[in-house]
Amino acid sequence: MEKYLKNYFLQVPESKRTSGATAYLAALDAVSSEFPQIAETIVQELRDQRSHLKLIASENFSSLPVQLAMGNLLTDKYSEGSVGHRFYAGCDNVDTVEGLAVSLAQEIFHAEHAYVQPHSGIDANLVAFWAILVQRIQTPEVAALGKKTLNDLTPEEYEKVRQLLVNQKVMGMALGSGGHLTHGYRLNVSAKIMQAVQYEVDPRTGLLDYKALQQQAQREKPLILLAGYSSYPRLIDFAKMREIADSVGAVLMVDMAHFAGLVAGKVMQGNFNPIPFAHIVTTTTHKTLRGPRGGMVLCTSEFKEAVDRGCPLILGGPLPHVMAAKAVAFKEALKPEFTRYAHRIVENAKVLAEGLMQKGIKLLTGGTDNHLLVLNVAASFGLTGKQAEMLLREAKFTVNRNVIPQDPNGAWDTSGVRIGTPATTTLGMGPLEMEEIADIIHTLLKHAQPGDDRKKKAHIDPHVMQRAQERVTDLLRGFPLYPEIVIE
Ligand code: DSN
C-alpha cells in the first residue's frame, strides 16, 4: 500500500472510511506510482482549494462521485457520431452513458433535445452557431437554389454561397456589459465567422434596456440574437428577448453557462427560464450546475439533427468519461437538495451584496438577483481590479478581476472584481458567513494604498493583511472541503 491510502487507513478508523475517499486516495497512489509529482500536485491543489475561499463566480466544487466517474477506461473509447449512430464499433456502453446523460438533461430542463458532447462552453457555442447557420441561413441566393439548409447544397452550390456566411449577424452582449467573448467580441472566432453586433447595458443603470435592444435589433436584423452573460448580476427576461427575436425573424440563442444550476434548481422560472423561449440554449456543466468541466446544447427539434452532428463536424471525439460524470451530476441536480442549494446560492449572493453596499462599496447595478456581483473597486477604493485581485488572493480569497462598462483601466487591469457564491454555498456557508466575508473584504480593501503606478501591487499594512488571513482561515475551518479525504 502506498502513502496516501496508508496514511488514511492509519488516521481514520474503518467505521468512518468512505468509498469515495478510499477510491480518491487509491487513485492518487496509482498515479504516484507512475509520476509522483503529478499526484503531489493534485494534492497541492486540494490544499490550495481548502485553504482559500473560492469566490470565483464560474467555479464550484463537484462531488466525489462526479469526479470519480471521470477516472476510468471510458477515456479510451472513440465514439464519434451520436447515440446509436457511431463511426466506430463497440460503442454500446458509451451509448448507455451518453443516452442517460441526454435523458437526464432533458428531464432537468424540460428540453426537446439535449446534446452532451461539447467539451466546454465555447465548444457548445460553436456547435450552436453552426447549427443555426446550417438551418437558418436563408438568403435570396440560397432560396434561389431551392434548398432548405446548407447541408442540402451540393459542394458546387455551396461554393456559390460560402461568402454569405460572413454576412450573417450575431447580436450579443458586449464583454464590458457582462457578455462573453463568444458573444461577438471582435477578436473571438464568433466575430470572425459572422458579423458581430454588440449590445450594451444602459450606462446610467448598468441594466439591460429592452426598448433600446428592440430598436437595435430592428436596425441590425441579426440572424442570431444571443442572450446570456458572464458578469451581469441581474435576471434576463427571456420572454421579452424572444419577442424581440421574433419581431426581426432572428433565432434566440441563450448561453446559460453561468446560471444553468439556477434554472435546474428552479430559481429562474417563468420569463427568467430560457428553455421555453429560446430556440437553442448552450451551457457549461461545471459552474452553478456543479458537474464536471464540460459543455452542453439544448435545443428544439428543428436544430436536433444539426446539433447532433457537432462531432465530428465541429468537435473532436466525445469524452465518454466526462459524459459519465455529467450523467452523475444531472442525477444530483434532480434531487430536492439541489433545488435548496440553488436557492441558497442567490440568498447568499444577496446578503453578500447588501453587506458590501452597506459599507459603501459600489456594486454594478446596485446589487444582484443571481449568483454573482461585480465590485467597482476603482470607484470604491481607487484600486485596479488586478490590484484588488492580488490583495484578496494574498488574504486567501480566490476571485477574478473583471471589466466594467467603458472600463478606463482596460481588459487586463480592469476596474472591477467579480465574485460569486456557488462554491461557498456548496461548502455549506450561509448568511452569517456572507456578512463576515463582506466585512473582511471591506476592511482589507479600505486599507490598501494603490500607489502612483497602478500597474504595481497595492501596498497594505502587513498587520491588516495578517488579520484578514486569520479571519478567512477561521471561517474555512468550519466548512472543510471534502472533509472525508484525509491527507497527511
Ligand atoms: N471563463 C468563464 C467565466 O469565468 O465566466 C466563462 O467562460
Side-chain angles (χ1 to χ4, degrees):
M1 203 187 298
E2 307 291 336
K3 68 174 181 177
Y4 298 110
L5 205 51
K6 188 170 172 187
N7 175 60
Y8 178 64
F9 281 9
L10 282 175
Q11 293 200 35
V12 180
E14 198 175 343
S15 60
K16 295 246 170 74
R17 291 177 205 154
T18 67
S19 54
T22 307
Y24 196 99
L25 293 161
L28 282 173
D29 279 328
V31 173
S32 188
S33 70
E34 187 59 42
F35 203 158
Q37 193 187 352
I38 291 294
E40 199 42 38
T41 307
I42 296 169
V43 171
Q44 268 307 107
E45 182 60 24
L46 176 58
R47 290 192 187 106
D48 188 284
Q49 295 204 23
R50 275 181 172 169
S51 58
H52 290 77
L53 207 145
K54 190 192 274 203
L55 288 174
I56 292 186
S58 50
E59 292 187 10
N60 209 329
F61 301 113
S62 54
S63 70
L64 291 188
V66 165
Q67 292 184 21
L68 292 166
M70 284 184 275
N72 56 66
L73 85 172
L74 286 173
T75 190
D76 297 332
K77 191 74 198 96
Y78 252 121
S79 54
E80 292 187 11
S82 54
V83 179
H85 300 275
R86 304 287 184 183
F87 291 88
Y88 291 81
C91 291
D92 301 354
N93 298 307
V94 177
D95 276 354
T96 303
V97 162
E98 184 172 346
L100 286 168
V102 165
S103 51
L104 287 166
Q106 286 172 297
E107 189 181 342
I108 295 171
F109 295 105
H110 304 285
E112 282 178 31
H113 181 60
Y115 178 64
V116 299
Q117 294 185 3
H119 311 156
S120 70
I122 288 185
D123 291 10
N125 283 349
L126 284 176
V127 169
F129 288 145
W130 187 242
I132 296 168
L133 286 171
V134 164
Q135 289 298 119
R136 286 289 184 99
I137 185 170
Q138 266 308 337
T139 64
E141 292 86 343
V142 175
L145 292 167
K147 302 292 168 72
K148 282 211 220 88
T149 77
L150 281 190
N151 282 347
D152 299 321
L153 300 174
T154 63
E156 294 73 30
E157 289 170 336
Y158 186 76
E159 278 314 313
K160 290 190 199 142
V161 301
R162 176 193 289 280
Q163 73 281 6
L164 300 174
L165 286 184
V166 290
N167 296 332
Q168 303 301 304
K169 275 189 192 168
V170 56
M171 185 168 144
M173 199 190 229
L175 197 62
S177 287
H180 188 253
L181 288 166
T182 49
H183 299 183
Y185 175 66
R186 67 187 174 86
L187 298 179
N188 185 264
V189 64
S190 53
K192 305 291 187 199
I193 57 171
M194 292 177 283
Q195 222 185 67
V197 179
Q198 300 268 269
Y199 56 86
E200 313 260 357
V201 290
D202 182 330
R204 290 160 306 168
T205 60
L207 298 172
L208 275 175
D209 175 346
Y210 295 97
K211 209 164 146 214
L213 204 56
Q214 168 76 65
Q215 288 163 353
Q216 192 178 359
Q218 279 298 344
R219 282 195 308 277
E220 301 291 352
K221 302 241 174 345
L223 171 70
I224 305 173
L225 176 62
L226 178 40
Y229 51 80
S230 286
S231 59
Y232 182 67
R234 297 291 175 178
L235 303 177
I236 294 181
D237 185 330
F238 296 109
K240 277 196 187 141
M241 283 290 187
R242 177 62 188 254
E243 249 175 59
I244 297 171
D246 282 348
S247 73
V248 296
V251 170
L252 178 60
M253 171 173 161
V254 174
D255 178 345
M256 64 167 185
H258 261 264
F259 51 91
L262 304 183
V263 177
K266 301 180 183 61
V267 177
M268 294 183 171
Q269 301 203 70
N271 287 6
F272 307 115
N273 173 3
I275 313 293
F277 301 103
H279 297 90
I280 195 156
V281 176
T282 59
T283 185
T284 51
T285 47
H286 50 270
K287 298 187 174 88
T288 45
L289 198 48
R290 214 164 58 182
R293 185 160 294 282
M296 174 163 71
V297 181
L298 304 168
C299 61
T300 55
S301 41
E302 177 192 352
F303 296 96
K304 175 182 186 309
E305 198 188 317
V307 162
D308 274 350
R309 294 172 85 173
C311 170
L313 299 185
I314 293 151
L315 306 172
L319 309 175
H321 56 308
V322 179
M323 292 194 288
K326 286 175 183 172
V328 176
F330 295 162
K331 191 115 186 157
E332 292 175 352
L334 279 164
K335 291 184 177 163
E337 299 93 276
F338 191 87
T339 303
R340 285 195 289 278
Y341 163 68
H343 282 82
R344 274 202 307 268
I345 292 177
V346 179
E347 284 155 23
N348 278 344
K350 283 178 185 285
V351 175
L352 186 51
E354 223 22 73
L356 292 167
M357 288 189 301
Q358 272 169 12
K359 293 171 208 314
I361 297 183
K362 292 189 171 50
L363 300 188
L364 296 194
T365 78
T368 182
D369 289 323
N370 56 25
H371 63 295
L372 70 87
L373 26 141
V374 184
L375 286 63
N376 184 337
V377 290
S380 307
F381 304 105
L383 295 163
T384 66
K386 178 110 174 64
Q387 287 178 315
E389 180 191 282
M390 286 165 81
L391 285 171
L392 288 164
R393 174 69 187 174
E394 200 180 333
K396 296 183 182 287
F397 289 105
T398 311
V399 302
N400 70 283
R401 62 192 186 277
N402 214 92
V403 281
I404 64 170
Q406 284 88 44
D407 201 317
N409 288 323
W412 181 253
D413 290 300
T414 81
S415 300
V417 166
R418 182 187 68 168
I419 62 184
T421 52
T424 48
T425 307
T426 295
L427 290 180
M429 292 188 186
L432 283 179
E433 289 74 34
M434 296 303 124
E435 280 166 18
E436 172 69 354
I437 291 170
D439 195 54
I440 307 173
I441 291 176
H442 174 252
T443 308
L444 184 80
L445 296 184
K446 90 169 174 209
H447 282 97
Q449 291 156 16
D452 294 333
D453 185 353
R454 303 286 152 96
K455 296 269 171 207
K456 292 203 175 127
K457 217 176 139 196
H459 179 75
I460 194 147
D461 178 340
H463 294 106
V464 174
M465 179 55 78
Q466 193 189 339
R467 183 67 198 120
Q469 290 165 341
E470 287 164 1
R471 288 175 74 185
V472 175
T473 303
D474 280 350
L475 197 53
L476 284 168
R477 200 167 288 123
F479 300 90
L481 173 63
Y482 308 125
E484 66 269 49
I485 298 178
V486 175
I487 39 173
E488 279 165 0

